[in-house]
Amino acid sequence: MIVNDVDLRGYIGVFDSGVGGISVLGALVRELPNEDFVYFGDSANAPYGEKTTDEVRALSSRIVDGLVERGCKAIVIACNTATSAAAEVLRNRYSTIPIVGVEPALKPAVLARRHGRVLVMATPMTVRLEKFQQLLGEWGGEAEVDSVPCAGLAARIEQGNLDAPDLADQLQKLVGPYANRVDAVVLGCTHYPFIRRQIKNVVGDVPFFDGAEGTARQLHRRLEEEGLLKEGMSPGNVRFISSKDDPEELKLYRSFFKRA
Ligand code: DGL
């Protein structure tokens, strides 16, 4: 899966099913500008959100095995779906390596809009699994929360061309019924921040929340705790790898990174 000869010693490995986790990568680089990051997009197997939990666990384990074997010092699961399905399994497997995940930013949204109506958009798997259900149990009482499983949306974002009318139609079908009826939106899939503007066009100009900044701060804390922060002030490297064997894919990743 990862080309054999890459040396990733000292790098932080970041992965997602495809382009989505690049929205998290942007926040990671802003938080830790002199660290070296390698981003692995599993575009050959995207989307994860409509697979079985076991499939996502197996895919995530294979990716993390590859990153750790090549020397990564920490892992960021830049995917809500893979975090829900596999974070625990991965942490048990690699107990000495910091593994940081991302979860829907329900808590900050609810605290900002107490007693309001909060719309959560996420993949079908994220909405279904226990991790989100627990989050809902903890914070759902403070606001009226509507969770919308957005089947097909991450797969569509993978194709790029984000201003095309078919994407606007897809959003209309998924969240059109919430137009001007919600006080906040939680983007519970790391692909969705790339279409924040398009979602606002449908639901209205309310505050949006995602897990990227919280994940970046958590990674910073974990590296500090473990004494793993890179020394020196020079800007770090950012490299991209894709499971899709197509140079166009890496161009797409770089174009998303410019917008992250
Ligand atoms: N970006 C991912 C997430 O945060 C996965 C989307 C998908 O592959 O279905 O959930």
Side-chain angles (χ1 to χ4, degrees):
M1 61 115 230
I2 299 180
V3 271
N4 275 329
D5 56 355
V6 288
D7 179 0
L8 299 175
R9 269 175 296 177
Y11 273 72
I12 296 160
V14 183
F15 77 95
D16 180 33
S17 61
V19 296
I22 297 171
S23 64
V24 179
L25 181 67
L28 299 174
V29 172
R30 281 192 291 279
E31 175 76 24
L32 296 158
N34 66 324
E35 293 289 342
D36 298 321
F37 291 96
V38 56
Y39 183 83
F40 183 84
D42 197 7
S43 296
N45 294 300
Y48 279 4
E50 290 141 61
K51 290 189 159 40
T52 67
T53 314
D54 283 346
E55 281 172 321
V56 173
R57 277 191 190 134
L59 290 165
S60 305
S61 299
R62 237 180 37 216
I63 294 166
V64 174
D65 286 353
L67 293 169
V68 171
E69 266 167 38
R70 284 159 187 79
C72 284
K73 65 177 179 181
I75 299 292
V76 177
I77 312 172
C79 173
N80 294 265
T81 308
T83 301
S84 310
E88 206 178 310
V89 174
L90 293 171
R91 288 191 184 115
N92 289 336
R93 193 175 171 112
Y94 290 108
S95 53
T96 58
I97 291 182
I99 297 183
V100 175
V102 57
E103 65 175 25
L106 183 61
K107 177 181 168 184
V110 162
L111 291 179
R113 286 290 183 269
R114 231 182 255 265
H115 312 303
R117 190 164 184 194
V118 176
L119 173 67
V120 181
M121 298 172 68
T123 68
M125 192 185 300
T126 298
V127 172
R128 191 177 68 235
L129 289 186
E130 203 188 324
K131 196 168 168 52
F132 179 67
Q133 292 305 321
Q134 270 174 3
L135 205 57
L136 207 52
E138 209 172 328
W139 294 102
E142 304 274 332
E144 192 185 328
V145 181
D146 289 291
S147 317
V148 178
C150 297
L153 189 54
R156 173 60 190 81
I157 295 167
E158 282 293 301
Q159 294 165 15
N161 201 8
L162 303 180
D163 285 309
D166 71 294
L167 180 51
D169 290 347
Q170 192 177 9
L171 284 174
Q172 194 58 46
K173 284 195 192 104
L174 287 167
V175 290
Y178 298 94
N180 304 313
R181 294 177 57 212
V182 292
D183 302 301
V185 175
V186 175
L187 301 178
C189 167
T190 56
H191 280 69
Y192 304 165
F194 290 113
I195 54 161
R196 196 186 311 257
R197 176 175 45 80
Q198 293 84 332
I199 298 172
K200 278 193 184 207
N201 285 344
V202 177
V203 296
D205 190 14
V206 293
F208 274 45
F209 296 84
D210 67 63
E213 255 89 46
T215 301
R217 285 194 299 272
Q218 174 66 0
L219 174 66
H220 198 154
R221 270 194 297 273
R222 292 289 291 116
L223 293 176
E224 214 156 36
E225 274 167 18
E226 301 296 329
L228 287 172
L229 283 168
K230 188 177 155 196
E231 283 170 18
M233 295 305 284
S234 55
N237 286 328
V238 179
R239 47 193 302 180
F240 292 92
I241 304 174
S242 174
S243 59
K244 209 175 197 175
D245 188 17
D246 177 356
E248 286 303 311
E249 199 59 24
L250 295 182
K251 273 196 210 151
L252 187 74
Y253 288 9
R254 291 207 178 85
S255 76
F256 272 80
F257 186 54
K258 281 195 193 125
R259 288 179 256 166

